[in-house]
């Protein structure tokens, strides 16, 4: 019998912060004290609090240690695991109160959340099917198998679940279309091609609770009358692919995948396809082309994949997070599910909260929570006491919400009305030092690069918008550029073939809408209010702070800095090329910009 | 001719169809296998040599133009030999907001390469990717399969020297 259980987060974030070294150190230390039989080590999935990793939680007392290194381990073993004393210095420090917190439930980052889809992430060992089953796993599938497939579709439809991958289409209706398509072969496809920069919830679900996704796929298969599924995963997610493979093998062993599943006569097979690096493959028709071994380019719809999809057969495509919701709906019922959330958006949504907030990581919240609650309660406010400027929601398809929208309830419909989009749920917080024009340029550079080139509006439109934005950030903007951007943006939005082009102008349109003054400052005053656009900055040296150490003079590529040793230096503006090298080099913060 | 081109020519001259054949065995007769086949071929050679693409086209009975089309569409495939270590710098939103540009500039300067290029000694290839999905640790890069988070320009030299 184990006396204590130590959970070490083994998500990608914590592994890169050194979780494996912590595991090795703990194993060695336990061996040294001959405690291998008393303490069990569980390498869990992602807890979402990547910022503070590696995380180290001791059960049964539920003590939450963070930012643990291998060097901390002997002390943790000696003090906590042997003597039972909490190691105060390694506990989480609440940035607002300055107090140490012992249990994760007392951390605002967690206490404001409603973890339904993430219920198992960071709690169970994702490579052990028994732990999933102990937490109620595969009960949803069991129930579905006793029901008529039509009723399963009805249950999901009634729950009000909407697709978590971007557009927010009703999952139940999607299933119904596929159910109604008559064919001897149908496919279920799980879209795990999570490409939005700034979003990593699908990766965490696959890494932390792969069986939940598999169970969702199986239920979808039973409901629409399919016997085969493909999971399309980005090749950039090696750990997710490995855990999914293990999960499939274990599910086959337990008779959850294969022939005559749980003696119901239902047969099902699950294949994994690795993506090869193309953002547009997140679009459903492009994804299907990619599975078929073609260039991943979208095609016009209709026919929709539910009618004519993979290899011409009816195909139901759902995103990872959507499918991970399904087992819960079947297990606990549509009414329970729809009691969470708002009128039009039921359930929860996982957001990847990143950028200039104190707590970054994954958070799952009920639909309808305000942006303020997410940024200031869960996120713990802006770093270094700076001022909130905007939050960018929904990645390259989404938009920027300014301070005036802090109390906007977050759900599908209110975000669309405000010009943003739920998208995949990336939420990047920006402070006064982020230039909104540069941000729009950044997103356009991304979409322009990822545009597949098939349709003209997206191929040409993103390119022209990018050129215009580059011009503005380089201080070469002209009168009429803002109107030009709006005109191209509207055209691209209306006439592109697929979701990539139709939503690519959103970052431009929302920044123009809410931060027009910044565009005007760049164009008319040749000034970047956030101090980010290098070409628009003037560098100067603060004489009070300069020690005359000559470091800046040595690094200046244009010989634009003059001054005697140990005397304050000056930047010759005519020669300065505004590269910023002196600013980076100065140890005394004497180089300033205006 | 630069070093990597010389290497490419040498490799193409000594191209051994047997190596390709071994990879192709498990895929023959299945549909939609172009992408996985090319992934395996690239694992074997480190990139996609032209003779290998031609061989795949013949054996899978897919026009060479189509194989080439797929190989050039996806960011993951490379038609040129690559360095011993692959650096992938994340250009995701969170990394952008937290200042990855400076880190990227420092890396490119230290290695004297531009995006997609390989150092002369073939030790490093420098690439930029859309998002690694480790946004909580921004700015981030990967060297081979190892992730480095919370990067600053000061850390670059030490990290590069450890390879």
């Amino acid at each position: 019998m184990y006396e204590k259980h130590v959970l070490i987060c083994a998500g990608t974030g914590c592994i890169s912060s050194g979780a494996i070294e912590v595991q090795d150190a703990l194993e060695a230390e336990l061996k040294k004290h001959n405690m291998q039989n008393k303490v069990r080590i569980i390498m869990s999935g992602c807890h979402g609090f990547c910022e503070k990793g590696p995380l180290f939680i001791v059960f049964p007392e539920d003590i939450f240690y963070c930012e643990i290194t291998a060097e901390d381990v002997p002390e943790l073993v000696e003090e906590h695991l042997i003597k039972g004393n909490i190691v105060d210095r390694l506990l989480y420090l609440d940035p607002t109160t300055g107090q140490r917190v012992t249990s994760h439930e007392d951390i605002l980052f967690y206490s404001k959340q409603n973890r339904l889809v993430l219920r198992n992430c960071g709690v169970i060992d994702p490579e052990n099917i028994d732990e999933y089953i102990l937490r109620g796993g595969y009960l949803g599938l069991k129930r579905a198998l006793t029901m008529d497939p039509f009723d399963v579709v009805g249950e999901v439809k009634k729950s009000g679940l909407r697709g978590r991958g971007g557009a927010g289409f009703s999952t139940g209706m999607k299933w119904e279309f596929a159910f109604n398509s008559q064919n001897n072969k149908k496919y279920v496809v799980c879209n795990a091609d999570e490409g939005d920069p700034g979003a990593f919830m699908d990766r965490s679900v696959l890494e932390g609770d792969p069986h939940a996704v598999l169970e969702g796929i199986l239920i979808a298969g039973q409901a629409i009358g399919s016997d085969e599924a493909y999971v399309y995963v980005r090749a950039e997610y090696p750990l997710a692919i490995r855990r999914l493979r293990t999960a499939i093998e274990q599910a086959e062993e337990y008779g959850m995948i294969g022939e005559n599943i749980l003696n119901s006569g239902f047969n099902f097979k699950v294949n994994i396809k690795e993506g090869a690096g193309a953002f547009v493959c997140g679009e459903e028709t492009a994804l299907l082309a990619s599975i078929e071994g073609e260039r991943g380019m979208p095609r016009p719809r209709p026919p929709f994949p539910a009618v004519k999809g993979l290899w011409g057969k009816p195909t139901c495509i759902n995103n990872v997070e959507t499918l991970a919701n399904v087992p819960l709906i079947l297990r606990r019922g549509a009414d329970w599910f729809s009691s969470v959330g708002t009128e039009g958006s039921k359930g929860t949504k996982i957001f990847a909260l990143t950028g200039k907030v104190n707590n970054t990581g994954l958070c799952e919240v009920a639909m309808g929570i305000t942006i303020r609650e997410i940024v200031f309660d869960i996120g713990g406010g802006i770093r270094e006491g700076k001022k909130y400027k905007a939050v960018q929601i929904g990645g390259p398809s989404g938009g920027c919400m300014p301070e005036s929208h802090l109390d906007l309830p977050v759900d599908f419909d209110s975000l669309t009305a405000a010009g943003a989009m739920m998208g995949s749920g990336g939420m990047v917080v920006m402070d006064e030092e982020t230039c909104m024009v540069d941000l729009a340029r950044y997103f356009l550079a991304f979409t322009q690069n990822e545009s597949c080139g098939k349709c003209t509006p997206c191929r040409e439109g993103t390119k022209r918008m990018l050129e215009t934005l580059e011009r503005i950030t380089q201080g070469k903007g002209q009168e009429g550029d803002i109107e030009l951007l709006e005109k191209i943006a509207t055209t691209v939005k209306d006439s592109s073939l697929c979701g990539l082009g139709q939503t690519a102008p959103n970052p431009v349109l929302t920044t123009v809408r809410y931060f027009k003054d910044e565009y005007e400052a760049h164009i008319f005053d040749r000034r970047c209010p956030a101090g980010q656009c290098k070409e628009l900055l003037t560098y100067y040296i603060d004489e009070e702070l300069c020690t005359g150490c000559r470091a800046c003079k040595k690094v200046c590529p244009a010989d634009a800095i003059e001054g005697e040793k140990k005397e304050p230096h000056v930047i010759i503006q005519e020669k300065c090329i505004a590269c910023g090298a002196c600013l980076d080099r100065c140890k005394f913060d004497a180089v300033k910009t205006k | 001719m630069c070093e990597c081109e010389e290497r490419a020519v040498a490799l193409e001259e000594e191209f051994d169809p047997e190596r390709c054949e071994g990879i192709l065995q498990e895929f023959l007769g299945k549909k939609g296998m172009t992408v996985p086949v090319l992934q395996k071929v690239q694992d074997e050679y480190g990139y996609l040599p032209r003779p290998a693409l031609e061989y795949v086209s013949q054996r899978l009975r897919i026009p060479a133009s189509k194989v080439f089309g797929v190989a050039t569409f996806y960011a993951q495939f490379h038609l040129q030999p690559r360095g011993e270590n692959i650096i992938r710098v994340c250009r995701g939103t969170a990394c952008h907001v937290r200042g990855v540009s400076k880190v990227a500039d420092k890396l490119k300067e230290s290695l004297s390469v531009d995006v997609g290029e390989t150092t002369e000694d073939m030790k490093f290839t420098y690439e930029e990717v859309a998002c690694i999905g480790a946004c909580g640790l921004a700015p981030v890069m990967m060297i081979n399969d190892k992730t480095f988070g919370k990067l600053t320009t000061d850390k670059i030299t030490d990290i590069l020297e450890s390879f």
Side-chain angles (χ1 to χ4, degrees), chain A residues 480-503:
Chain A
D481 273 352
I482 299 177
E483 293 72 22
L484 179 69
L485 278 174
E486 284 178 311
K487 197 174 159 192
I488 306 176
T490 321
T491 312
V492 173
K493 203 175 164 108
D494 290 344
S495 52
S496 291
L497 175 61
C498 81
L500 192 156
Q502 287 158 12
T503 57

PDB file of all heavy atoms in Angstrom, chain A residues 480-503:
ATOM      1  N   GLY A 480      -5.395  57.472 -46.616  1.00  0.00           N
ATOM      2  CA  GLY A 480      -6.195  56.560 -47.429  1.00  0.00           C
ATOM      3  C   GLY A 480      -5.856  55.100 -47.191  1.00  0.00           C
ATOM      4  O   GLY A 480      -6.589  54.210 -47.607  1.00  0.00           O
ATOM      5  N   ASP A 481      -4.741  54.830 -46.490  1.00  0.00           N
ATOM      6  CA  ASP A 481      -4.352  53.441 -46.224  1.00  0.00           C
ATOM      7  C   ASP A 481      -5.380  52.707 -45.360  1.00  0.00           C
ATOM      8  O   ASP A 481      -5.649  51.526 -45.576  1.00  0.00           O
ATOM      9  CB  ASP A 481      -2.984  53.397 -45.532  1.00  0.00           C
ATOM     10  CG  ASP A 481      -1.847  53.386 -46.550  1.00  0.00           C
ATOM     11  OD1 ASP A 481      -2.139  53.253 -47.755  1.00  0.00           O
ATOM     12  OD2 ASP A 481      -0.676  53.525 -46.135  1.00  0.00           O
ATOM     13  N   ILE A 482      -5.933  53.417 -44.377  1.00  0.00           N
ATOM     14  CA  ILE A 482      -6.903  52.770 -43.485  1.00  0.00           C
ATOM     15  C   ILE A 482      -8.136  52.348 -44.284  1.00  0.00           C
ATOM     16  O   ILE A 482      -8.620  51.217 -44.156  1.00  0.00           O
ATOM     17  CB  ILE A 482      -7.293  53.717 -42.324  1.00  0.00           C
ATOM     18  CG1 ILE A 482      -6.041  54.058 -41.505  1.00  0.00           C
ATOM     19  CG2 ILE A 482      -8.363  53.088 -41.444  1.00  0.00           C
ATOM     20  CD1 ILE A 482      -6.284  55.033 -40.371  1.00  0.00           C
ATOM     21  N   GLU A 483      -8.603  53.258 -45.144  1.00  0.00           N
ATOM     22  CA  GLU A 483      -9.777  52.951 -45.956  1.00  0.00           C
ATOM     23  C   GLU A 483      -9.470  51.799 -46.923  1.00  0.00           C
ATOM     24  O   GLU A 483     -10.304  50.921 -47.149  1.00  0.00           O
ATOM     25  CB  GLU A 483     -10.238  54.186 -46.750  1.00  0.00           C
ATOM     26  CG  GLU A 483     -10.782  55.330 -45.893  1.00  0.00           C
ATOM     27  CD  GLU A 483      -9.704  56.072 -45.094  1.00  0.00           C
ATOM     28  OE1 GLU A 483      -8.511  56.009 -45.470  1.00  0.00           O
ATOM     29  OE2 GLU A 483     -10.048  56.699 -44.060  1.00  0.00           O
ATOM     30  N   LEU A 484      -8.247  51.827 -47.477  1.00  0.00           N
ATOM     31  CA  LEU A 484      -7.840  50.763 -48.388  1.00  0.00           C
ATOM     32  C   LEU A 484      -7.868  49.410 -47.682  1.00  0.00           C
ATOM     33  O   LEU A 484      -8.401  48.420 -48.196  1.00  0.00           O
ATOM     34  CB  LEU A 484      -6.428  51.060 -48.917  1.00  0.00           C
ATOM     35  CG  LEU A 484      -5.829  50.015 -49.867  1.00  0.00           C
ATOM     36  CD1 LEU A 484      -6.565  50.017 -51.198  1.00  0.00           C
ATOM     37  CD2 LEU A 484      -4.342  50.274 -50.092  1.00  0.00           C
ATOM     38  N   LEU A 485      -7.327  49.393 -46.453  1.00  0.00           N
ATOM     39  CA  LEU A 485      -7.313  48.151 -45.678  1.00  0.00           C
ATOM     40  C   LEU A 485      -8.727  47.645 -45.443  1.00  0.00           C
ATOM     41  O   LEU A 485      -9.010  46.460 -45.615  1.00  0.00           O
ATOM     42  CB  LEU A 485      -6.632  48.386 -44.320  1.00  0.00           C
ATOM     43  CG  LEU A 485      -5.117  48.347 -44.277  1.00  0.00           C
ATOM     44  CD1 LEU A 485      -4.631  48.751 -42.904  1.00  0.00           C
ATOM     45  CD2 LEU A 485      -4.607  46.949 -44.623  1.00  0.00           C
ATOM     46  N   GLU A 486      -9.610  48.565 -45.075  1.00  0.00           N
ATOM     47  CA  GLU A 486     -10.992  48.152 -44.790  1.00  0.00           C
ATOM     48  C   GLU A 486     -11.653  47.574 -46.033  1.00  0.00           C
ATOM     49  O   GLU A 486     -12.393  46.596 -45.969  1.00  0.00           O
ATOM     50  CB  GLU A 486     -11.798  49.351 -44.271  1.00  0.00           C
ATOM     51  CG  GLU A 486     -11.455  49.686 -42.824  1.00  0.00           C
ATOM     52  CD  GLU A 486     -12.206  50.904 -42.300  1.00  0.00           C
ATOM     53  OE1 GLU A 486     -12.214  51.941 -43.002  1.00  0.00           O
ATOM     54  OE2 GLU A 486     -12.776  50.801 -41.211  1.00  0.00           O
ATOM     55  N   LYS A 487     -11.356  48.207 -47.177  1.00  0.00           N
ATOM     56  CA  LYS A 487     -11.994  47.769 -48.421  1.00  0.00           C
ATOM     57  C   LYS A 487     -11.508  46.370 -48.811  1.00  0.00           C
ATOM     58  O   LYS A 487     -12.309  45.478 -49.106  1.00  0.00           O
ATOM     59  CB  LYS A 487     -11.664  48.780 -49.526  1.00  0.00           C
ATOM     60  CG  LYS A 487     -12.565  48.663 -50.722  1.00  0.00           C
ATOM     61  CD  LYS A 487     -12.284  49.769 -51.717  1.00  0.00           C
ATOM     62  CE  LYS A 487     -12.781  49.371 -53.088  1.00  0.00           C
ATOM     63  NZ  LYS A 487     -12.292  50.255 -54.138  1.00  0.00           N
ATOM     64  N   ILE A 488     -10.188  46.188 -48.777  1.00  0.00           N
ATOM     65  CA  ILE A 488      -9.666  44.859 -49.142  1.00  0.00           C
ATOM     66  C   ILE A 488     -10.187  43.818 -48.146  1.00  0.00           C
ATOM     67  O   ILE A 488     -10.616  42.735 -48.520  1.00  0.00           O
ATOM     68  CB  ILE A 488      -8.115  44.815 -49.145  1.00  0.00           C
ATOM     69  CG1 ILE A 488      -7.543  45.912 -50.041  1.00  0.00           C
ATOM     70  CG2 ILE A 488      -7.622  43.460 -49.621  1.00  0.00           C
ATOM     71  CD1 ILE A 488      -6.010  45.985 -50.000  1.00  0.00           C
ATOM     72  N   ALA A 489     -10.153  44.179 -46.857  1.00  0.00           N
ATOM     73  CA  ALA A 489     -10.569  43.234 -45.814  1.00  0.00           C
ATOM     74  C   ALA A 489     -11.994  42.755 -46.052  1.00  0.00           C
ATOM     75  O   ALA A 489     -12.281  41.557 -45.969  1.00  0.00           O
ATOM     76  CB  ALA A 489     -10.437  43.888 -44.445  1.00  0.00           C
ATOM     77  N   THR A 490     -12.885  43.674 -46.340  1.00  0.00           N
ATOM     78  CA  THR A 490     -14.281  43.299 -46.546  1.00  0.00           C
ATOM     79  C   THR A 490     -14.414  42.378 -47.754  1.00  0.00           C
ATOM     80  O   THR A 490     -15.161  41.389 -47.713  1.00  0.00           O
ATOM     81  CB  THR A 490     -15.135  44.562 -46.757  1.00  0.00           C
ATOM     82  OG1 THR A 490     -14.667  45.570 -45.876  1.00  0.00           O
ATOM     83  CG2 THR A 490     -16.598  44.298 -46.487  1.00  0.00           C
ATOM     84  N   THR A 491     -13.671  42.692 -48.820  1.00  0.00           N
ATOM     85  CA  THR A 491     -13.749  41.855 -50.019  1.00  0.00           C
ATOM     86  C   THR A 491     -13.239  40.443 -49.740  1.00  0.00           C
ATOM     87  O   THR A 491     -13.872  39.454 -50.113  1.00  0.00           O
ATOM     88  CB  THR A 491     -12.907  42.480 -51.153  1.00  0.00           C
ATOM     89  OG1 THR A 491     -13.235  43.859 -51.249  1.00  0.00           O
ATOM     90  CG2 THR A 491     -13.157  41.793 -52.471  1.00  0.00           C
ATOM     91  N   VAL A 492     -12.095  40.353 -49.061  1.00  0.00           N
ATOM     92  CA  VAL A 492     -11.515  39.037 -48.774  1.00  0.00           C
ATOM     93  C   VAL A 492     -12.474  38.225 -47.903  1.00  0.00           C
ATOM     94  O   VAL A 492     -12.699  37.037 -48.125  1.00  0.00           O
ATOM     95  CB  VAL A 492     -10.141  39.191 -48.082  1.00  0.00           C
ATOM     96  CG1 VAL A 492      -9.602  37.850 -47.623  1.00  0.00           C
ATOM     97  CG2 VAL A 492      -9.147  39.863 -49.008  1.00  0.00           C
ATOM     98  N   LYS A 493     -13.065  38.890 -46.931  1.00  0.00           N
ATOM     99  CA  LYS A 493     -13.990  38.238 -46.010  1.00  0.00           C
ATOM    100  C   LYS A 493     -15.195  37.667 -46.767  1.00  0.00           C
ATOM    101  O   LYS A 493     -15.627  36.554 -46.511  1.00  0.00           O
ATOM    102  CB  LYS A 493     -14.468  39.294 -45.006  1.00  0.00           C
ATOM    103  CG  LYS A 493     -14.973  38.752 -43.693  1.00  0.00           C
ATOM    104  CD  LYS A 493     -15.294  39.910 -42.755  1.00  0.00           C
ATOM    105  CE  LYS A 493     -16.149  39.385 -41.626  1.00  0.00           C
ATOM    106  NZ  LYS A 493     -15.480  39.291 -40.372  1.00  0.00           N
ATOM    107  N   ASP A 494     -15.706  38.456 -47.713  1.00  0.00           N
ATOM    108  CA  ASP A 494     -16.923  38.048 -48.422  1.00  0.00           C
ATOM    109  C   ASP A 494     -16.675  36.994 -49.495  1.00  0.00           C
ATOM    110  O   ASP A 494     -17.573  36.239 -49.835  1.00  0.00           O
ATOM    111  CB  ASP A 494     -17.574  39.270 -49.096  1.00  0.00           C
ATOM    112  CG  ASP A 494     -18.164  40.214 -48.077  1.00  0.00           C
ATOM    113  OD1 ASP A 494     -18.339  39.785 -46.918  1.00  0.00           O
ATOM    114  OD2 ASP A 494     -18.439  41.380 -48.422  1.00  0.00           O
ATOM    115  N   SER A 495     -15.478  36.989 -50.082  1.00  0.00           N
ATOM    116  CA  SER A 495     -15.360  36.195 -51.302  1.00  0.00           C
ATOM    117  C   SER A 495     -14.358  35.041 -51.240  1.00  0.00           C
ATOM    118  O   SER A 495     -14.166  34.361 -52.233  1.00  0.00           O
ATOM    119  CB  SER A 495     -15.000  37.114 -52.473  1.00  0.00           C
ATOM    120  OG  SER A 495     -13.879  37.888 -52.142  1.00  0.00           O
ATOM    121  N   SER A 496     -13.725  34.804 -50.070  1.00  0.00           N
ATOM    122  CA  SER A 496     -12.759  33.701 -50.033  1.00  0.00           C
ATOM    123  C   SER A 496     -13.451  32.351 -49.998  1.00  0.00           C
ATOM    124  O   SER A 496     -14.586  32.229 -49.555  1.00  0.00           O
ATOM    125  CB  SER A 496     -11.845  33.834 -48.817  1.00  0.00           C
ATOM    126  OG  SER A 496     -11.004  34.937 -48.974  1.00  0.00           O
ATOM    127  N   LEU A 497     -12.712  31.361 -50.450  1.00  0.00           N
ATOM    128  CA  LEU A 497     -13.270  30.014 -50.564  1.00  0.00           C
ATOM    129  C   LEU A 497     -13.493  29.346 -49.215  1.00  0.00           C
ATOM    130  O   LEU A 497     -14.513  28.721 -48.973  1.00  0.00           O
ATOM    131  CB  LEU A 497     -12.311  29.172 -51.428  1.00  0.00           C
ATOM    132  CG  LEU A 497     -12.610  27.692 -51.610  1.00  0.00           C
ATOM    133  CD1 LEU A 497     -13.959  27.486 -52.276  1.00  0.00           C
ATOM    134  CD2 LEU A 497     -11.514  27.040 -52.457  1.00  0.00           C
ATOM    135  N   CYS A 498     -12.521  29.460 -48.328  1.00  0.00           N
ATOM    136  CA  CYS A 498     -12.658  28.712 -47.072  1.00  0.00           C
ATOM    137  C   CYS A 498     -12.495  29.613 -45.857  1.00  0.00           C
ATOM    138  O   CYS A 498     -12.223  30.804 -45.973  1.00  0.00           O
ATOM    139  CB  CYS A 498     -11.665  27.562 -47.018  1.00  0.00           C
ATOM    140  SG  CYS A 498     -10.013  28.035 -46.520  1.00  0.00           S
ATOM    141  N   GLY A 499     -12.641  28.998 -44.710  1.00  0.00           N
ATOM    142  CA  GLY A 499     -12.583  29.726 -43.446  1.00  0.00           C
ATOM    143  C   GLY A 499     -11.309  30.516 -43.236  1.00  0.00           C
ATOM    144  O   GLY A 499     -11.321  31.566 -42.601  1.00  0.00           O
ATOM    145  N   LEU A 500     -10.190  30.046 -43.788  1.00  0.00           N
ATOM    146  CA  LEU A 500      -8.927  30.749 -43.577  1.00  0.00           C
ATOM    147  C   LEU A 500      -9.035  32.168 -44.131  1.00  0.00           C
ATOM    148  O   LEU A 500      -8.765  33.150 -43.449  1.00  0.00           O
ATOM    149  CB  LEU A 500      -7.782  29.988 -44.249  1.00  0.00           C
ATOM    150  CG  LEU A 500      -6.353  30.414 -43.899  1.00  0.00           C
ATOM    151  CD1 LEU A 500      -5.395  29.272 -44.126  1.00  0.00           C
ATOM    152  CD2 LEU A 500      -5.861  31.610 -44.669  1.00  0.00           C
ATOM    153  N   GLY A 501      -9.464  32.281 -45.382  1.00  0.00           N
ATOM    154  CA  GLY A 501      -9.575  33.599 -46.008  1.00  0.00           C
ATOM    155  C   GLY A 501     -10.721  34.414 -45.450  1.00  0.00           C
ATOM    156  O   GLY A 501     -10.609  35.624 -45.246  1.00  0.00           O
ATOM    157  N   GLN A 502     -11.831  33.726 -45.160  1.00  0.00           N
ATOM    158  CA  GLN A 502     -13.001  34.458 -44.684  1.00  0.00           C
ATOM    159  C   GLN A 502     -12.772  35.123 -43.331  1.00  0.00           C
ATOM    160  O   GLN A 502     -13.420  36.108 -42.999  1.00  0.00           O
ATOM    161  CB  GLN A 502     -14.201  33.498 -44.575  1.00  0.00           C
ATOM    162  CG  GLN A 502     -14.769  33.110 -45.925  1.00  0.00           C
ATOM    163  CD  GLN A 502     -15.553  31.805 -45.856  1.00  0.00           C
ATOM    164  OE1 GLN A 502     -15.855  31.306 -44.776  1.00  0.00           O
ATOM    165  NE2 GLN A 502     -15.868  31.242 -47.003  1.00  0.00           N
ATOM    166  N   THR A 503     -11.867  34.572 -42.554  1.00  0.00           N
ATOM    167  CA  THR A 503     -11.638  35.148 -41.233  1.00  0.00           C
ATOM    168  C   THR A 503     -10.301  35.885 -41.129  1.00  0.00           C
ATOM    169  O   THR A 503     -10.065  36.590 -40.161  1.00  0.00           O
ATOM    170  CB  THR A 503     -11.665  34.057 -40.143  1.00  0.00           C
ATOM    171  OG1 THR A 503     -10.681  33.082 -40.464  1.00  0.00           O
ATOM    172  CG2 THR A 503     -13.012  33.391 -40.053  1.00  0.00           C
TER     173      THR A 503
END
